[in-house]
Amino acid sequence: MGRWEPNTRERLAKAALDLYGERGFEQTTVAEIAKSAGLTERTFFRHYADKREVLFSGAIELEQLFTRAVAGAPPSAAPIDAMAAGLDAICAVFEERRDFARKRQAVISATAELRERELIKLASLAAALTDTLRARGVPPSVAGLTAETGVAVFKVAFERWIVADETRPLARLARESLDELKAVALGGNAPMSEV
Amino acid sequence: MGRWEPNTRERLAKAALDLYGERGFEQTTVAEIAKSAGLTERTFFRHYADKREVLFSGAIELEQLFTRAVAGAPPSAAPIDAMAAGLDAICAVFEERRDFARKRQAVISATAELRERELIKLASLAAALTDTLRARGVPPSVAGLTAETGVAVFKVAFERWIVADETRPLARLARESLDELKAVALGGNAPMSEV
DNA sequence: CACTTTGATGTCAGTTACTGACATCGACGC
DNA sequence: GCGTCGATGTCAGTAACTGACATCAAAGTG
């Protein structure tokens, strides 16, 4: 056994989520989180860059999972279909942790500062997906738009999935949202450049 | 003449942008901004909620301009075409202030904290557009996706427009981006629900 | 014209997020 | 057994932000 209790990062993350949920993000001090995990404030900041980041440690793995699924789609698949494959992959992991996801999202949605952080994580995800698509040979401009579209579809699907009375699987909601988006894009009567 | 110099907010905003540009956002203290505008730190925080917000005072007007243009589109226009009308309206105001936009964007792009704030402003814009579309009778799910799409198109177009050697008007880039997005959405071979 | 009220600002003390420098001490390799 | 290492603790410091109260010109009110 080590000199200290193991799983420092995880203990901090759990303590933070619990406290943010009970008292709210702003009413919780970092010192309290650290104490609740049997550590000091300084140690918290050695593991997480700031008070918000403690809720986003899974972002790296999510990004990897998503980009690998996109990269692994059949070379013949259209960009938007490669994105769809990635969406399927990440939906699966969310499906396994629905309770956690809901608890975490309730905390994030309640605080503007945390929503900001969530948005930049999604933007970073879109950037990574853009790179992945470009590596598949997709032209830069198309890659960027496709990645943004994929992330937007996920956002919408996740919003629908997180509500209490929703029972359909996330992946299904994502597929529906993507189909809806296609319909939206088709809705215009003419390309804008002709208007 | 009043007891103090007029245009307090504007003076603070100008001082902040200048200092952020010269020294960088993190290397600038609020006390310095206030002093540079002939005021105190406390007064800064009476006008702006925090150190970042001083760069985003135009967000409200932008939102109003965008939503009014969408609301004012012909009732017969498809949702995506109403969005296109809104895009045209805001592109016009950016076109008039290109130097300012470029200076401001350079500061924002350089700092993660400011990018976060920018993203939440765009998210708030998308939410407002969703409401506007719903008021036009667009079904909620379509409204959300259309609004997100419109904002994504603007982001991409703005990114292209802001680069130094770009000479095409923003509105034109927005139209092109929207057309590209339509092509992206159409690119898939089959609706996802059939995959 | 004196008197009051109002609103924007200044002053000051306090909390808390976050950082740098240095100390501690069990684990682990040698 | 011994020295290095890595994770943590301790402590002092900066700066964002807030609440309470003071100030004082301007604008109303009699």
Side-chain angles (χ1 to χ4, degrees), chain A residues 65-170:
Chain A
L65 186 64
F66 204 151
T67 53
R68 281 175 190 158
V70 170
S76 64
I80 193 72
D81 291 328
M83 284 296 303
L87 283 170
D88 266 344
I90 62 167
C91 287
V93 310
F94 278 99
E95 204 67 60
E96 289 169 14
R97 313 178 193 173
R98 187 159 183 186
D99 288 344
F100 169 77
R102 204 171 263 158
K103 183 174 181 182
R104 176 173 168 281
Q105 201 59 30
V107 170
I108 292 174
S109 303
T111 305
E113 274 186 88
L114 291 171
R115 262 178 282 141
E116 287 186 340
R117 181 58 50 89
E118 183 184 33
L119 290 171
I120 208 170
K121 294 293 179 186
L122 288 171
S124 153
L125 175 61
L129 288 166
T130 302
D131 291 345
T132 305
L133 287 172
R134 292 188 57 172
R136 285 173 61 92
V138 178
S141 63
V142 176
L145 278 163
T146 308
E148 294 282 351
T149 300
V151 171
V153 163
F154 178 73
K155 272 168 72 172
V156 170
F158 185 79
E159 261 173 42
R160 296 178 186 176
W161 177 73
I162 209 70
V163 302
D165 56 350
E166 178 59 62
T167 56
R168 289 170 291 175
L170 178 57

Side-chain angles (χ1 to χ4, degrees), chain B residues 7-188:
Chain B
N7 304 118
T8 310
R9 279 180 67 89
E10 289 69 22
R11 276 158 48 216
L12 283 168
K14 176 167 174 27
L17 180 58
D18 288 346
L19 287 171
Y20 292 168
E22 289 166 20
R23 313 185 189 174
F25 175 79
E26 284 159 17
Q27 284 66 47
T28 305
T29 70
V30 174
E32 286 167 348
I33 298 168
K35 187 172 183 183
S36 163
L39 296 161
T40 64
E41 190 181 5
R42 191 68 183 86
T43 296
F44 177 96
F45 286 112
R46 288 205 179 91
H47 287 274
Y48 296 103
D50 59 48
K51 193 184 168 183
R52 311 173 210 173
E53 197 65 19
V54 68
L55 289 185
F56 296 89
S57 58
I60 311 112
E61 295 123 56
L62 184 72
E63 191 172 299
Q64 287 178 356
L65 186 65
F66 204 151
T67 53
R68 281 174 190 160
V70 170
S76 64
I80 193 73
D81 290 329
M83 284 296 304
L87 283 170
D88 266 344
I90 62 168
C91 286
V93 307
F94 279 99
E95 204 68 59
E96 290 171 13
R97 314 180 191 172
R98 184 157 186 186
D99 288 344
F100 169 77
R102 203 172 262 157
K103 184 174 181 183
R104 177 173 168 279
Q105 201 60 29
V107 170
I108 292 174
S109 302
T111 305
E113 275 185 87
L114 291 171
R115 263 178 281 140
E116 287 186 339
R117 182 57 51 88
E118 183 183 34
L119 289 171
I120 208 170
K121 294 292 180 189
L122 289 171
S124 155
L125 176 60
L129 290 167
T130 301
D131 291 346
T132 304
L133 287 171
R134 290 187 59 174
R136 284 173 61 90
V138 177
S141 62
V142 176
L145 277 162
T146 308
E148 294 282 351
T149 300
V151 171
V153 163
F154 177 74
K155 271 168 73 170
V156 170
F158 185 79
E159 262 173 42
R160 296 179 187 175
W161 177 72
I162 210 69
V163 303
D165 56 351
E166 178 58 61
T167 56
R168 289 170 291 175
L170 177 56
R172 188 179 147 82
L173 295 170
R175 287 189 206 108
E176 289 176 4
S177 300
L178 183 52
D179 287 345
E180 273 184 48
L181 177 69
K182 291 179 180 182
V184 162
L186 288 174

Side-chain angles (χ1 to χ4, degrees), chain A residues 1-3 28-31 41-42 45-46 49-51:
Chain A
M1 186 176 112
R3 183 177 172 190
T28 304
T29 70
V30 174
E41 190 181 5
R42 192 65 182 87
F45 286 112
R46 287 207 180 90
D50 59 47
K51 192 185 169 184

